[in-house]
């Protein structure tokens, strides 16, 4: 089947939708990001793409840390809401009714309602164009019972072409093609 060739774009459109926090318990921001991914396993590193004009960007630069909070489908409304308003003008914690919880390795608050929280310290920043890539070394991971049982029990939210989706059926485990 012939393929259509298009102009360069962010065609890799399936991404986790997460809540990222930065700042302190007293002054922080929470926003929704989909430009998020694992970059390295030893040491564990996560990259997040943030536009410089986002209020969250200011807190990451100032504090040198961020937390990736993996929300579940039950909190999809709050996830969307935190990406639709600016933290400069709105207290998104209050608006979303999400709860700040103190992390253990950084000053950055975790989102208590999220089953998985990943505390990161910024190790490098790359200015790429519309976004800055913050490369964060994972310094602590907080998991509730669902996260401890494995990722499939988290019921995470995926962002695909401007829409939120939940994961579907298991099709195999790593290495199933070699059995």
């Amino acid at each position: 089947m012939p393929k259509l060739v298009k102009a360069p774009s962010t065609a890799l459109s399936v991404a986790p939708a997460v809540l990222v926090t930065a700042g302190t318990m007293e002054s922080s921001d929470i926003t929704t990001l989909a430009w998020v991914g694992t970059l390295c396993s030893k040491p564990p590193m996560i990259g997040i793409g943030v536009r410089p004009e986002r209020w969250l960007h200011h807190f990451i630069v100032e504090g040198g840390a961020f937390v990736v909070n993996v929300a579940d489908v039950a909190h999809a409304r709050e996830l969307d809401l935190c990406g639709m308003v600016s933290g400069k003008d709105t207290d998104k914690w209050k608006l979303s009714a999400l709860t700040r919880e103190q992390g253990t390795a950084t000053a950055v608050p975790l989102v208590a309602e999220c089953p998985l929280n990943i505390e990161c310290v910024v190790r490098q920043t790359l200015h790429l164009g519309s976004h800055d890539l913050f490369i964060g070394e994972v310094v602590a991971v907080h998991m509730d019972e669902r996260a401890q049982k494995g990722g499939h029990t988290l019921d995470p939210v995926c962002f695909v072409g401007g829409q939120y989706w939940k994961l579907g059926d298991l099709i195999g485990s790593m290495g199933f093609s070699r059995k």
Side-chain angles (χ1 to χ4, degrees), residues 59-76:
F59 284 104
I60 295 172
V61 170
E62 186 176 279
F66 60 89
V67 176
V68 175
N69 303 275
V70 179
D72 55 15
V73 170
H75 293 93

Side-chain angles (χ1 to χ4, degrees), residues 19 67-72 110-118 141-144 146-148 151 154:
L19 291 166
V67 176
V68 175
N69 303 275
V70 179
D72 55 15
L110 316 176
V111 178
E113 291 80 3
C114 291
L116 177 61
N117 317 90
I118 306 167
V141 177
H142 306 261
M143 299 180 173
D144 76 5
R146 292 171 293 166
Q148 293 171 34
L154 291 176

Side-chain angles (χ1 to χ4, degrees), residues 23-112:
T24 65
M25 291 293 285
E26 296 76 32
S27 178
S28 62
D29 191 31
I30 176 174
T31 199
T32 307
L33 293 180
W35 304 131
V36 177
T38 301
L39 301 178
C40 185
S41 53
K42 288 187 182 182
M45 301 242 185
I46 291 178
I48 62 171
V50 183
R51 289 180 179 271
E53 61 269 17
R54 298 288 289 270
W55 192 233
L56 183 80
H57 189 281
H58 152 79
F59 284 104
I60 295 172
V61 170
E62 186 176 279
F66 60 89
V67 176
V68 175
N69 303 275
V70 179
D72 55 15
V73 170
H75 293 93
R77 183 183 179 286
E78 293 86 348
L79 177 90
D80 180 62
L81 184 62
C82 287
M84 300 308 299
V85 296
S86 171
K88 287 181 184 178
D89 309 318
T90 306
D91 181 345
K92 292 190 263 184
W93 291 97
K94 186 175 180 180
L95 180 67
S96 66
L98 292 169
T99 310
R100 287 180 182 97
E101 184 176 292
Q102 183 59 62
T104 58
T106 68
V108 180
L110 316 176
V111 178

